[in-house]
PDB file of all heavy atoms in Angstrom:
ATOM      1  N   ARG E 641     -58.318  11.549 -63.299  1.00  0.00           N
ATOM      2  CA  ARG E 641     -58.356  12.618 -64.291  1.00  0.00           C
ATOM      3  C   ARG E 641     -57.350  13.693 -63.905  1.00  0.00           C
ATOM      4  O   ARG E 641     -57.189  13.999 -62.723  1.00  0.00           O
ATOM      5  CB  ARG E 641     -59.757  13.222 -64.351  1.00  0.00           C
ATOM      6  CG  ARG E 641     -60.749  12.283 -64.978  1.00  0.00           C
ATOM      7  CD  ARG E 641     -62.140  12.831 -64.989  1.00  0.00           C
ATOM      8  NE  ARG E 641     -62.178  14.250 -65.340  1.00  0.00           N
ATOM      9  CZ  ARG E 641     -63.229  15.008 -65.185  1.00  0.00           C
ATOM     10  NH1 ARG E 641     -64.333  14.509 -64.660  1.00  0.00           N
ATOM     11  NH2 ARG E 641     -63.209  16.267 -65.534  1.00  0.00           N
ATOM     12  N   LEU E 644     -57.257  20.610 -63.466  1.00  0.00           N
ATOM     13  CA  LEU E 644     -57.446  21.690 -64.434  1.00  0.00           C
ATOM     14  C   LEU E 644     -56.113  22.357 -64.757  1.00  0.00           C
ATOM     15  O   LEU E 644     -55.835  22.681 -65.914  1.00  0.00           O
ATOM     16  CB  LEU E 644     -58.445  22.718 -63.885  1.00  0.00           C
ATOM     17  CG  LEU E 644     -58.741  23.901 -64.811  1.00  0.00           C
ATOM     18  CD1 LEU E 644     -59.351  23.419 -66.122  1.00  0.00           C
ATOM     19  CD2 LEU E 644     -59.658  24.888 -64.124  1.00  0.00           C
ATOM     20  N   VAL E 646     -53.112  21.011 -64.754  1.00  0.00           N
ATOM     21  CA  VAL E 646     -52.346  20.124 -65.631  1.00  0.00           C
ATOM     22  C   VAL E 646     -52.938  20.147 -67.041  1.00  0.00           C
ATOM     23  O   VAL E 646     -52.209  20.211 -68.038  1.00  0.00           O
ATOM     24  CB  VAL E 646     -52.316  18.689 -65.059  1.00  0.00           C
ATOM     25  CG1 VAL E 646     -51.727  17.712 -66.059  1.00  0.00           C
ATOM     26  CG2 VAL E 646     -51.531  18.662 -63.750  1.00  0.00           C
ATOM     27  N   HIS E 652     -51.860  24.312 -73.489  1.00  0.00           N
ATOM     28  CA  HIS E 652     -50.999  25.435 -73.845  1.00  0.00           C
ATOM     29  C   HIS E 652     -49.731  24.935 -74.550  1.00  0.00           C
ATOM     30  O   HIS E 652     -49.315  25.501 -75.562  1.00  0.00           O
ATOM     31  CB  HIS E 652     -50.642  26.224 -72.589  1.00  0.00           C
ATOM     32  CG  HIS E 652     -49.790  27.422 -72.879  1.00  0.00           C
ATOM     33  ND1 HIS E 652     -50.317  28.606 -73.307  1.00  0.00           N
ATOM     34  CD2 HIS E 652     -48.450  27.605 -72.820  1.00  0.00           C
ATOM     35  CE1 HIS E 652     -49.343  29.474 -73.490  1.00  0.00           C
ATOM     36  NE2 HIS E 652     -48.200  28.892 -73.201  1.00  0.00           N
ATOM     37  N   LEU E 655     -50.681  23.175 -78.107  1.00  0.00           N
ATOM     38  CA  LEU E 655     -51.191  24.126 -79.096  1.00  0.00           C
ATOM     39  C   LEU E 655     -50.193  25.240 -79.362  1.00  0.00           C
ATOM     40  O   LEU E 655     -50.022  25.681 -80.495  1.00  0.00           O
ATOM     41  CB  LEU E 655     -52.515  24.740 -78.633  1.00  0.00           C
ATOM     42  CG  LEU E 655     -53.736  23.840 -78.678  1.00  0.00           C
ATOM     43  CD1 LEU E 655     -54.949  24.588 -78.162  1.00  0.00           C
ATOM     44  CD2 LEU E 655     -53.985  23.325 -80.080  1.00  0.00           C
ATOM     45  N   GLY E 660     -45.749  28.701 -81.851  1.00  0.00           N
ATOM     46  CA  GLY E 660     -44.596  29.469 -81.404  1.00  0.00           C
ATOM     47  C   GLY E 660     -43.362  29.191 -82.241  1.00  0.00           C
ATOM     48  O   GLY E 660     -42.629  30.110 -82.609  1.00  0.00           O
ATOM     49  N   ASP E 664     -41.414  31.984 -84.341  1.00  0.00           N
ATOM     50  CA  ASP E 664     -40.039  32.293 -83.981  1.00  0.00           C
ATOM     51  C   ASP E 664     -39.018  31.870 -85.032  1.00  0.00           C
ATOM     52  O   ASP E 664     -37.962  32.483 -85.150  1.00  0.00           O
ATOM     53  CB  ASP E 664     -39.669  31.632 -82.648  1.00  0.00           C
ATOM     54  CG  ASP E 664     -40.342  32.320 -81.475  1.00  0.00           C
ATOM     55  OD1 ASP E 664     -40.807  33.450 -81.644  1.00  0.00           O
ATOM     56  OD2 ASP E 664     -40.413  31.710 -80.397  1.00  0.00           O
ATOM     57  N   THR E 681     -44.681  31.398-103.550  1.00  0.00           N
ATOM     58  CA  THR E 681     -43.480  32.219-103.601  1.00  0.00           C
ATOM     59  C   THR E 681     -43.791  33.396-104.511  1.00  0.00           C
ATOM     60  O   THR E 681     -44.255  33.205-105.640  1.00  0.00           O
ATOM     61  CB  THR E 681     -42.281  31.424-104.157  1.00  0.00           C
ATOM     62  OG1 THR E 681     -42.091  30.266-103.356  1.00  0.00           O
ATOM     63  CG2 THR E 681     -41.027  32.260-104.156  1.00  0.00           C
ATOM     64  N   ALA E 684     -40.673  36.794-109.151  1.00  0.00           N
ATOM     65  CA  ALA E 684     -39.606  37.774-109.368  1.00  0.00           C
ATOM     66  C   ALA E 684     -39.870  38.419-110.722  1.00  0.00           C
ATOM     67  O   ALA E 684     -39.557  37.848-111.765  1.00  0.00           O
ATOM     68  CB  ALA E 684     -38.245  37.096-109.338  1.00  0.00           C
ATOM     69  N   LEU E 685     -40.475  39.584-110.692  1.00  0.00           N
ATOM     70  CA  LEU E 685     -40.908  40.239-111.924  1.00  0.00           C
ATOM     71  C   LEU E 685     -40.151  41.542-112.134  1.00  0.00           C
ATOM     72  O   LEU E 685     -39.822  42.238-111.173  1.00  0.00           O
ATOM     73  CB  LEU E 685     -42.408  40.548-111.850  1.00  0.00           C
ATOM     74  CG  LEU E 685     -43.341  39.348-111.642  1.00  0.00           C
ATOM     75  CD1 LEU E 685     -44.745  39.827-111.310  1.00  0.00           C
ATOM     76  CD2 LEU E 685     -43.356  38.482-112.885  1.00  0.00           C
ATOM     77  N   GLY E 691     -41.748  55.337-120.287  1.00  0.00           N
ATOM     78  CA  GLY E 691     -42.371  56.640-120.090  1.00  0.00           C
ATOM     79  C   GLY E 691     -42.858  56.819-118.670  1.00  0.00           C
ATOM     80  O   GLY E 691     -42.274  56.321-117.713  1.00  0.00           O
ATOM     81  N   PRO E 698     -56.745  53.412-112.822  1.00  0.00           N
ATOM     82  CA  PRO E 698     -56.957  52.367-113.838  1.00  0.00           C
ATOM     83  C   PRO E 698     -56.267  51.046-113.490  1.00  0.00           C
ATOM     84  O   PRO E 698     -56.743  49.972-113.874  1.00  0.00           O
ATOM     85  CB  PRO E 698     -56.399  52.968-115.127  1.00  0.00           C
ATOM     86  CG  PRO E 698     -55.680  54.199-114.763  1.00  0.00           C
ATOM     87  CD  PRO E 698     -56.089  54.585-113.386  1.00  0.00           C
ATOM     88  N   THR E 722     -38.097  49.616-112.409  1.00  0.00           N
ATOM     89  CA  THR E 722     -38.203  48.333-113.123  1.00  0.00           C
ATOM     90  C   THR E 722     -39.046  47.310-112.366  1.00  0.00           C
ATOM     91  O   THR E 722     -39.137  46.154-112.787  1.00  0.00           O
ATOM     92  CB  THR E 722     -36.803  47.740-113.362  1.00  0.00           C
ATOM     93  OG1 THR E 722     -36.151  47.587-112.095  1.00  0.00           O
ATOM     94  CG2 THR E 722     -35.972  48.633-114.272  1.00  0.00           C
ATOM     95  N   LEU E 729     -56.128  42.693-102.856  1.00  0.00           N
ATOM     96  CA  LEU E 729     -57.581  42.748-102.785  1.00  0.00           C
ATOM     97  C   LEU E 729     -58.098  41.812-101.707  1.00  0.00           C
ATOM     98  O   LEU E 729     -57.689  40.652-101.639  1.00  0.00           O
ATOM     99  CB  LEU E 729     -58.193  42.348-104.133  1.00  0.00           C
ATOM    100  CG  LEU E 729     -57.768  43.191-105.337  1.00  0.00           C
ATOM    101  CD1 LEU E 729     -58.283  42.568-106.627  1.00  0.00           C
ATOM    102  CD2 LEU E 729     -58.265  44.607-105.195  1.00  0.00           C
ATOM    103  N   VAL E 744     -52.491  41.073-107.241  1.00  0.00           N
ATOM    104  CA  VAL E 744     -52.360  41.229-108.689  1.00  0.00           C
ATOM    105  C   VAL E 744     -51.139  42.107-108.933  1.00  0.00           C
ATOM    106  O   VAL E 744     -51.062  43.223-108.419  1.00  0.00           O
ATOM    107  CB  VAL E 744     -53.616  41.870-109.317  1.00  0.00           C
ATOM    108  CG1 VAL E 744     -53.452  42.005-110.825  1.00  0.00           C
ATOM    109  CG2 VAL E 744     -54.867  41.073-108.982  1.00  0.00           C
ATOM    110  N   ARG E 752     -50.660  46.043-117.936  1.00  0.00           N
ATOM    111  CA  ARG E 752     -50.786  44.609-118.198  1.00  0.00           C
ATOM    112  C   ARG E 752     -50.609  43.806-116.907  1.00  0.00           C
ATOM    113  O   ARG E 752     -49.740  44.105-116.095  1.00  0.00           O
ATOM    114  CB  ARG E 752     -49.732  44.188-119.225  1.00  0.00           C
ATOM    115  CG  ARG E 752     -49.819  42.757-119.695  1.00  0.00           C
ATOM    116  CD  ARG E 752     -48.844  42.511-120.840  1.00  0.00           C
ATOM    117  NE  ARG E 752     -47.471  42.777-120.475  1.00  0.00           N
ATOM    118  CZ  ARG E 752     -46.617  41.850-120.040  1.00  0.00           C
ATOM    119  NH1 ARG E 752     -46.995  40.601-119.928  1.00  0.00           N
ATOM    120  NH2 ARG E 752     -45.385  42.178-119.728  1.00  0.00           N
ATOM    121  N   GLY E 764     -52.416  23.725 -99.091  1.00  0.00           N
ATOM    122  CA  GLY E 764     -52.541  23.413 -97.672  1.00  0.00           C
ATOM    123  C   GLY E 764     -51.410  23.991 -96.839  1.00  0.00           C
ATOM    124  O   GLY E 764     -51.600  24.380 -95.693  1.00  0.00           O
ATOM    125  N   TRP E 771     -53.346  32.293 -91.689  1.00  0.00           N
ATOM    126  CA  TRP E 771     -54.223  32.498 -90.535  1.00  0.00           C
ATOM    127  C   TRP E 771     -53.504  33.093 -89.335  1.00  0.00           C
ATOM    128  O   TRP E 771     -54.150  33.567 -88.399  1.00  0.00           O
ATOM    129  CB  TRP E 771     -54.884  31.177 -90.126  1.00  0.00           C
ATOM    130  CG  TRP E 771     -56.103  30.895 -90.922  1.00  0.00           C
ATOM    131  CD1 TRP E 771     -56.170  30.199 -92.100  1.00  0.00           C
ATOM    132  CD2 TRP E 771     -57.441  31.304 -90.630  1.00  0.00           C
ATOM    133  NE1 TRP E 771     -57.464  30.162 -92.550  1.00  0.00           N
ATOM    134  CE2 TRP E 771     -58.268  30.827 -91.661  1.00  0.00           C
ATOM    135  CE3 TRP E 771     -58.006  32.030 -89.597  1.00  0.00           C
ATOM    136  CZ2 TRP E 771     -59.632  31.056 -91.676  1.00  0.00           C
ATOM    137  CZ3 TRP E 771     -59.371  32.259 -89.613  1.00  0.00           C
ATOM    138  CH2 TRP E 771     -60.162  31.776 -90.648  1.00  0.00           C
ATOM    139  N   GLY E 782     -64.387  38.236 -86.151  1.00  0.00           N
ATOM    140  CA  GLY E 782     -65.195  39.397 -85.801  1.00  0.00           C
ATOM    141  C   GLY E 782     -65.021  39.805 -84.343  1.00  0.00           C
ATOM    142  O   GLY E 782     -63.940  39.690 -83.765  1.00  0.00           O
ATOM    143  N   LEU E 788     -61.607  37.334 -77.807  1.00  0.00           N
ATOM    144  CA  LEU E 788     -60.724  36.210 -77.504  1.00  0.00           C
ATOM    145  C   LEU E 788     -59.260  36.658 -77.523  1.00  0.00           C
ATOM    146  O   LEU E 788     -58.480  36.287 -76.638  1.00  0.00           O
ATOM    147  CB  LEU E 788     -60.953  35.065 -78.495  1.00  0.00           C
ATOM    148  CG  LEU E 788     -60.185  33.786 -78.237  1.00  0.00           C
ATOM    149  CD1 LEU E 788     -60.579  33.205 -76.883  1.00  0.00           C
ATOM    150  CD2 LEU E 788     -60.459  32.789 -79.342  1.00  0.00           C
ATOM    151  N   ARG E 806     -49.574  33.412 -55.401  1.00  0.00           N
ATOM    152  CA  ARG E 806     -49.457  32.044 -54.869  1.00  0.00           C
ATOM    153  C   ARG E 806     -48.082  31.813 -54.262  1.00  0.00           C
ATOM    154  O   ARG E 806     -47.937  31.194 -53.210  1.00  0.00           O
ATOM    155  CB  ARG E 806     -49.713  31.018 -55.967  1.00  0.00           C
ATOM    156  CG  ARG E 806     -51.161  30.909 -56.356  1.00  0.00           C
ATOM    157  CD  ARG E 806     -51.341  29.835 -57.368  1.00  0.00           C
ATOM    158  NE  ARG E 806     -50.791  28.595 -56.797  1.00  0.00           N
ATOM    159  CZ  ARG E 806     -51.167  27.396 -57.146  1.00  0.00           C
ATOM    160  NH1 ARG E 806     -52.074  27.228 -58.049  1.00  0.00           N
ATOM    161  NH2 ARG E 806     -50.627  26.329 -56.598  1.00  0.00           N
TER     162      ARG E 806
END
Side-chain angles (χ1 to χ4, degrees):
R641 289 177 42 193
L644 180 61
V646 171
H652 182 82
L655 287 179
D664 287 343
T681 303
L685 301 169
T722 57
L729 302 172
V744 181
R752 185 173 59 94
W771 276 90
L788 185 61
R806 286 183 56 155

